Amino acid sequence: ELMTGYTMLRNGGVGNGGQPWVLRWSSRIRLTWLSFTLFVILVFFPLIAHYYLTTIDDADDAGKRIFGPRTGNELCEVKHVQDLCRIRESVSEELLQLEAKRQELNSEIAKLNLKIEACKKSIENAKQDLLQLKNVISQTEHSYKELMAQNQPKLSLPIRLLPDKDDATFPLPKSNRNCRLHNCFDYSRCPLTSGFPVYVYNSDDFPFGSSLDPLIKQAFEATVRTNVYVTENANIACVYIILVGEMQEPVMPKPTELEQQLHSLPYWRTDGHNHLIINLSRKSETQNFIYNISTGRAMIAQSTFYDAQYRPGFDIVVSPLVHAMSEPNFLEIPPQVPVKRKYLFSFQGEKIESLRSSLQEVRSFEEEIEGNAPADYDDRIITTLKAVQDSKLDFVLVEFTCKNQPKASLPTEWALCGERDDRLELLKLSTFALIITPGDTHLVISAGCTMRLFEALEVGAIPVVLGEQVQLPYNDVIRWNEAALIIPKPRITEVHFLLRSISDNDLLAMRRQGRFLWETYFSTSDNVFSTVLAIIRTRIQIPAAPIREEPAVEIPHRSGKAAGTDPNMADNGDLDLGPVETEPPYASPKYLRNFTLTAMDIYRNWNSAPGPFHLFPYTPFDPVLPSEAKFLGSGTGFRPIGGGAGGSGKEFQAALGGNVPREQFTVVMLTYEREEVLMNSLERLNGLPYLNKVVVVWNSPKLPSEDLLWPDIGVPIMVVRTEKNSLNNRFLPWDEIETEAILSIDDDAHLRHDEIMFGFRVWREARDRIVGFPGRYHAWDIPHQSWLYNSNYSCELSMVLTGAAFFHKYYAYLYSYVMPQAIRDMVDEYINCEDIAMNFLVSHLTRKPPIKVTSRWTFRCPGCPQALSHDDSHFHERHKCINFFVKVYGYMPLLYTQFRVDSVLFKTRLPHDKTKCFKFI
């Protein structure tokens, strides 16, 4: 029924008596009550409970709190809370232990990583050591094969024989005029390995010493003190030298007295063998007072000889000693160009006594044509030369009478006119200088002729000697036909035509050769004395003493700072520049021609050497057999081991190849109190192939900082202390430089390794040239008629700066010991121009321009401190230097070139198995 009512109620109240509205109303009341009850329970009850609880917690008695917060201890009093606390403490302790263990393990891992790195380095070092051993074994095998092929075991020097003080006498030749080395010289006193010791008597110990010219004696003594061959031990001497002239006329001893004094010399040994009597002349009127003296087997060196007195190959004709105690003034020497001067030729002289007056018979011109030539051609010479002067075809100046009283002279000799300065002014205006030999054919040379020759060579007038019978100074070792014209007197009528036919190039070549001979053998007392000794030493075939090297005083320094690798320096891609030299430094082969040079190349060394080769026999351009070469058979030459494979790909990269396949170079770096810049530059050299060592020239009087740590770049670094601050120190031949190749580099130069290696390879193809990077040139300033130094960018150059350049150590010797001192003095004065001086020197010697490699025009590192070249006066000083150097050399030796060497594959990336070579354009 309920269901039925309920159903009816839902159906609209139909049924059971018709009361649907009552049911609907009661149903709505129930739902409303139910909703209200639920609302009160859910909302008001929590609010009331919250209020009740908060009211209880605010009671004064804290101990009666029921729901307030409690302390930790109170919570721990609860059993399960205490367990949780214990668990928390245990976990915290375990976490601390795990953290400590983790840190310990990390420390052990770091140590193991260090050990791994150390093991890797040890492995690399072991590999390097193994490679070194392989290289050493290979080189040893090659050396052994070479020695076996040559079959020339090394011999020790022979034991030197020391003769007794009283040598056994041997019979004199039939005549003193027949004296030659083979019968008048004792070779037993001069072994090949003796070093050519020379003993010089002190002239003041003998009576004739007071008669000597004071200037000549003083100059001679000063020269003797500095000569390398002079010894104070007379018992081991090879040659004994005594100075007997020039003597002063009023106090000159009699010939018999001088002869007795000579024969009483302590080591004369009855006949004077191995003695040299020197009679130097400072004036043209020097007399031949030794002519009437018996000199036995002693050699004579003087400027005047008669044919009955002169013994070819035994006696020596010397030049006059004009500059006794002074150096030549290069500023007063005229330039060698222009080639042709105002006068074609000139001559001034007067004949005091004619030979024709003493002739019993005067021959006619027809008799001379028939072959009966007269003894004196002077009359015809006078007539011909006057005719040339009167023809006015060329400007010539000939004077056969002196305006003032002429100098005294020997009979039939042409006396000099006027003072020396007046004669030099005339010769400066003359292309040729005539030298008429004495009419007396028995007089082979006179002091007047040698004085005329000296003055002509000094100012660049080409000597024309009339008389082929003359014996010019040092004629047995000097080819005078390269610097003078020697014409027989019968050709006097052809002299004018002959002089006009010589080209300008030949004139300049003869003038340059004459200047070389004068500077090397005539100009100073040192040159004269050294030349005399060199002639004797060359005749008896004793090699010259090696030129001294500059001793390097090392500055102690600490090394050990590991050098890093500059990415700009080592960014070579797959281009292998060559092996880094991990072996001990390999020095260039020593010069091996000390003995053969004296016997084979006499004339070449005396006549075309760029300097006094009697003091310095070393020449780098001779073909020296390297240690890596082996003979293929007798007389077939040699082929370098490791060469001949074409040099392609890896073979080219792994070795230098060429005729000297094993070679290194030395870096010479000049610095002055720029430690940070220097250290950076040294670090950039780390890993550079073929580097032998680095020589740092410390140019400051202040030593490097004691706490300065120098980089370890794998090769020795030698820090050299200098005596003074001089840019010339850059080119000193330090004894620590053991390679022929020198890379001169500034401390702020910034070069890549591939650029350096390319320059080294190019230099090996042109060892006599300067090969470098920054080029410069000289230019003629027309308005001011002077030379200028130019550093602008140009396709033409004439100089390569030595702040980044390769050159041969040979030029370091010449720059420091042979080049005129006036040039080095100017470099010190301006603290500038040393690179220009080196370019002048090399171009003067080789007559070739330098070689520029790559397109680099500057090499300064970015951010480096300012250098001397940034000073405003820098270029003005270089202008002055160029003009002064031109005056010293007498001409402009620099040569222009448009040639530059670049590599087509300079930075090209190619596979290792492909051909990869440097190509020059």
Side-chain angles (χ1 to χ4, degrees):
E1 290 179 0
L2 290 174
M3 290 297 297
T4 302
Y6 180 74
T7 303
M8 292 176 63
L9 182 63
R10 296 189 59 181
N11 291 331
V14 180
N16 292 335
Q19 298 177 352
W21 63 271
V22 176
L23 296 174
R24 286 196 298 268
W25 181 80
S26 61
S27 172
R28 291 176 179 174
I29 292 174
R30 293 190 193 100
L31 292 174
T32 302
W33 176 253
L34 179 62
S35 300
F36 178 77
T37 304
L38 292 175
F39 176 79
V40 170
I41 294 172
L42 296 176
V43 175
F44 289 97
F45 181 77
L47 293 175
I48 296 171
H50 179 267
Y51 174 78
Y52 175 76
L53 292 175
T54 55
T55 302
I56 295 175
D57 289 339
D58 290 338
D60 295 333
D61 190 0
K64 295 182 179 180
R65 291 178 182 175
I66 300 174
F67 300 101
R70 299 177 181 270
T71 62
N73 293 332
E74 292 176 343
L75 292 175
C76 291
E77 292 177 356
V78 184
K79 184 176 180 181
H80 66 277
V81 176
Q82 292 179 351
D83 293 338
L84 292 176
C85 290
R86 285 195 298 270
I87 292 172
R88 186 188 64 177
E89 293 176 358
S90 176
V91 171
S92 300
E93 184 177 356
E94 290 180 0
L95 290 175
L96 293 175
Q97 293 177 356
L98 290 175
E99 179 64 21
K101 190 173 183 180
R102 186 183 68 82
Q103 294 180 358
E104 183 179 355
L105 292 176
N106 289 337
S107 177
E108 292 180 0
I109 291 172
K111 293 180 180 179
L112 292 176
N113 288 333
L114 293 177
K115 290 183 179 180
I116 292 173
E117 294 297 329
C119 292
K120 289 181 179 179
K121 291 183 179 179
S122 300
I123 293 173
E124 293 296 330
N125 292 335
K127 290 181 179 179
Q128 293 293 333
D129 294 341
L130 179 60
L131 181 61
Q132 292 179 23
L133 291 175
K134 289 182 179 179
N135 292 335
V136 171
I137 293 173
S138 176
Q139 293 299 329
T140 304
E141 291 177 352
H142 292 165
S143 300
Y144 176 75
K145 291 178 181 179
E146 177 184 344
L147 291 175
M148 294 300 295
Q150 294 178 1
N151 194 23
Q152 293 181 353
K154 292 184 178 180
L155 300 178
S156 60
L157 295 177
I159 300 176
R160 181 179 177 184
L161 300 177
L162 297 179
D164 296 333
K165 183 177 180 180
D166 297 328
D167 295 320
T169 59
F170 44 97
L172 288 170
K174 295 181 180 180
S175 172
N176 289 340
R177 194 171 183 274
N178 296 328
C179 255
R180 299 296 184 271
L181 290 176
H182 69 276
N183 58 3
C184 290
F185 190 84
D186 184 8
Y187 280 89
S188 65
R189 301 196 63 88
C190 307
L192 290 176
T193 59
S194 63
F196 191 61
V198 174
Y199 179 79
V200 180
Y201 291 101
N202 186 0
S203 300
D204 293 334
D205 296 339
F206 306 97
F208 63 83
S210 58
S211 303
L212 296 177
D213 185 303
L215 287 178
I216 288 184
K217 182 168 66 172
Q218 185 178 359
F220 182 78
E221 292 175 351
T223 300
V224 167
R225 285 194 296 267
T226 59
N227 194 275
V228 296
Y229 297 105
V230 174
T231 179
E232 296 181 358
N233 188 357
N235 295 324
I236 65 171
C238 169
V239 175
Y240 301 85
I241 296 179
I242 182 66
L243 178 68
V244 298
E246 180 176 59
M247 289 191 176
Q248 297 173 318
E249 293 289 343
V251 291
M252 181 183 297
K254 296 180 180 179
T256 55
E257 296 176 355
L258 181 60
E259 180 178 332
Q260 292 177 357
Q261 295 176 24
L262 290 176
H263 291 181
S264 63
L265 292 175
Y267 304 97
W268 186 262
R269 300 186 182 92
T270 69
D271 57 5
H273 62 272
N274 290 45
H275 274 66
L276 173 64
I277 301 174
I278 297 182
N279 178 23
L280 298 176
S281 60
R282 192 168 59 90
K283 299 175 291 186
S284 61
E285 60 270 20
T286 301
Q287 301 296 319
N288 183 13
F289 61 88
I290 304 181
Y291 181 69
N292 296 319
I293 294 178
S294 174
T295 57
R297 285 191 172 96
M299 297 173 285
I300 300 175
Q302 61 180 9
S303 300
T304 303
F305 279 102
Y306 286 97
D307 58 354
Q309 179 189 19
Y310 180 68
R311 297 163 291 185
F314 194 74
D315 294 327
I316 302 174
V317 179
V318 299
S319 60
L321 190 61
V322 177
H323 301 287
M325 291 300 296
S326 61
E327 294 288 335
N329 187 356
F330 292 99
L331 297 179
E332 297 180 357
I333 300 176
Q336 298 184 26
V337 289
V339 177
K340 294 181 178 178
R341 300 175 177 175
K342 178 180 179 180
Y343 298 111
L344 178 64
F345 61 83
S346 64
F347 177 81
Q348 286 181 324
E350 183 174 345
K351 200 169 185 180
I352 305 301
E353 179 182 351
S354 175
L355 181 64
R356 182 176 294 278
S357 61
S358 62
L359 296 177
Q360 297 179 357
E361 179 182 1
V362 179
R363 306 181 184 185
S364 64
F365 178 74
E366 290 76 10
E367 292 176 332
E368 298 172 10
I369 294 298
E370 293 176 359
N372 300 322
D376 189 3
Y377 281 93
D378 289 353
D379 290 345
R380 181 184 299 178
I381 291 174
I382 295 173
T383 303
T384 304
L385 295 181
K386 284 185 176 181
V388 174
Q389 185 179 24
D390 295 338
S391 68
K392 298 183 180 180
L393 295 175
D394 290 292
F395 285 105
V396 298
L397 192 152
V398 290
E399 296 178 353
F400 299 103
T401 56
C402 297
K403 298 178 181 179
N404 300 322
Q405 182 66 27
K407 305 290 183 181
S409 61
L410 297 173
T412 73
E413 182 185 17
W414 288 91
L416 277 73
C417 296
E419 299 297 328
R420 167 178 159 81
D421 293 339
D422 299 332
R423 297 194 300 269
L424 292 180
E425 290 301 322
L426 175 61
L427 292 174
K428 290 178 182 179
L429 301 175
S430 306
T431 305
F432 296 94
L434 296 185
I435 301 175
I436 305 176
T437 59
D440 186 359
T441 56
H442 298 291
L443 187 61
V444 296
I445 189 64
S446 64
C449 286
T450 57
M451 183 64 70
R452 290 181 183 272
L453 179 66
F454 180 94
E455 293 177 352
L457 295 177
E458 182 178 5
V459 296
I462 300 174
V464 180
V465 181
L466 297 178
E468 79 283 2
Q469 82 284 355
V470 69
Q471 299 290 335
L472 297 180
Y474 321 125
N475 62 310
D476 54 345
V477 292
I478 291 180
R479 292 177 179 173
W480 279 106
N481 59 343
E482 296 180 357
L485 294 174
I486 303 176
I487 304 174
K489 286 185 177 181
R491 294 191 180 276
I492 183 59
T493 58
E494 302 171 337
V495 168
H496 186 203
F497 172 80
L498 179 60
L499 300 185
R500 285 283 301 272
S501 65
I502 301 177
S503 65
D504 290 353
N505 290 336
D506 292 337
L507 289 177
L508 182 59
M510 297 181 70
R511 185 171 292 166
R512 288 187 64 245
Q513 182 67 9
R515 176 71 175 271
F516 161 72
L517 296 177
W518 179 80
E519 288 183 357
T520 307
Y521 308 119
F522 289 71
S523 57
T524 64
S525 58
D526 286 340
N527 291 344
V528 173
F529 183 67
S530 298
T531 302
V532 171
L533 294 185
I535 290 177
I536 300 176
R537 179 187 52 76
T538 303
R539 287 175 177 176
I540 62 179
Q541 300 180 346
I542 294 181
I547 194 170
R548 68 181 181 91
E549 292 188 302
E550 196 70 21
V553 180
E554 184 178 6
I555 299 177
H557 60 280
R558 290 190 305 158
S559 141
K561 175 185 176 183
T565 302
D566 190 336
N568 296 324
M569 298 295 104
D571 183 18
N572 302 311
D574 60 351
L575 182 60
D576 186 4
L577 299 178
V580 179
E581 302 296 342
T582 55
E583 302 179 37
Y586 174 74
S588 297
K590 299 297 184 182
Y591 186 71
L592 304 177
R593 302 191 67 235
N594 292 315
F595 294 94
T596 56
L597 180 72
T598 305
M600 296 174 58
D601 301 325
I602 293 178
Y603 282 104
R604 183 171 68 87
N605 292 329
W606 281 82
N607 296 276
S608 61
F613 265 62
H614 52 285
L615 290 179
F616 182 39
Y618 179 83
T619 168
F621 314 129
D622 292 332
V624 181
L625 184 66
S627 59
E628 292 82 1
K630 69 175 183 179
F631 284 95
L632 300 178
S634 59
T636 60
F638 64 88
R639 176 180 65 84
I641 293 176
S648 61
K650 291 185 177 180
E651 291 82 4
F652 178 81
Q653 297 177 15
L656 289 173
N659 296 320
V660 187
R662 189 185 185 196
E663 187 172 16
Q664 297 177 349
F665 63 91
T666 302
V667 168
V668 177
M669 186 177 295
L670 188 72
T671 186
Y672 186 89
E673 296 184 4
R674 298 199 295 182
E675 295 180 352
E676 182 178 357
V677 175
L678 175 63
M679 296 302 107
N680 293 334
S681 297
L682 291 176
E683 288 187 5
R684 285 195 293 267
L685 299 177
N686 184 33
L688 181 60
Y690 304 110
L691 179 59
N692 181 274
K693 69 174 62 171
V694 178
V695 176
V696 177
V697 181
W698 191 264
N699 222 25
S700 171
K702 180 182 177 181
L703 296 180
S705 303
E706 296 182 356
D707 57 348
L708 183 62
L709 193 61
W710 295 69
D712 183 5
I713 61 175
V715 297
I717 297 179
M718 173 69 66
V719 185
V720 178
R721 185 175 186 177
T722 58
E723 295 182 357
K724 64 177 182 178
N725 178 20
S726 172
L727 293 180
N728 293 315
N729 296 331
R730 179 195 296 274
F731 302 125
L732 283 174
W734 302 104
D735 54 4
E736 289 294 332
I737 302 176
E738 300 177 320
T739 60
E740 295 182 3
I742 295 178
L743 173 58
S744 175
I745 190 169
D746 288 343
D747 58 359
D748 58 354
H750 198 78
L751 294 175
R752 299 193 307 268
H753 287 186
D754 53 352
E755 292 176 319
I756 295 176
M757 291 313 304
F758 180 61
F760 181 48
R761 288 181 181 270
V762 173
W763 177 85
R764 284 165 47 82
E765 302 292 332
R767 307 174 73 89
D768 60 337
R769 314 272 283 275
I770 298 178
V771 177
F773 298 89
R776 301 292 186 267
Y777 66 97
H778 67 288
W780 179 251
D781 184 8
I782 297 178
H784 298 88
Q785 292 294 295
S786 62
W787 294 102
L788 296 177
Y789 171 84
N790 203 313
S791 63
N792 296 333
Y793 290 88
S794 172
C795 295
E796 196 169 54
L797 61 99
S798 59
M799 292 175 283
V800 166
L801 301 186
T802 55
F806 285 93
F807 64 89
H808 202 288
K809 187 182 179 182
Y810 171 73
Y811 294 124
Y813 293 102
L814 297 182
Y815 183 97
S816 302
Y817 304 138
V818 177
M819 188 180 69
Q821 181 63 37
I823 296 179
R824 293 190 293 271
D825 292 341
M826 190 168 196
V827 171
D828 288 337
E829 179 182 354
Y830 286 155
I831 316 179
N832 199 345
C833 307
E834 85 287 354
D835 48 358
I836 301 178
M838 177 59 80
N839 278 271
F840 265 70
L841 175 66
V842 177
S843 295
H844 170 65
L845 302 179
T846 63
R847 304 306 302 136
K848 298 177 184 178
I851 297 178
K852 173 176 170 52
V853 293
T854 77
S855 60
R856 179 187 287 268
W857 198 258
T858 182
F859 52 82
R860 300 297 178 189
C861 64
C864 290
Q866 193 174 22
L868 293 175
S869 58
H870 293 84
D871 193 349
D872 293 338
S873 62
H874 176 75
F875 284 94
H876 298 288
E877 293 172 350
R878 294 174 86 80
H879 299 329
K880 295 179 182 178
C881 288
I882 286 184
N883 288 280
F884 178 77
F885 296 166
V886 168
K887 291 182 179 179
V888 173
Y889 283 98
Y891 74 111
M892 169 54 75
L894 298 179
L895 299 174
Y896 293 107
T897 180
Q898 299 175 2
F899 180 77
R900 192 183 82 193
V901 183
D902 285 326
S903 173
V904 177
L905 304 179
F906 194 45
K907 293 283 289 183
T908 305
R909 305 296 188 256
L910 293 177
H912 284 293
D913 57 345
K914 302 296 183 181
T915 302
K916 185 183 297 184
C917 300
F918 288 121
K919 297 182 180 179
F920 304 147
I921 61 172

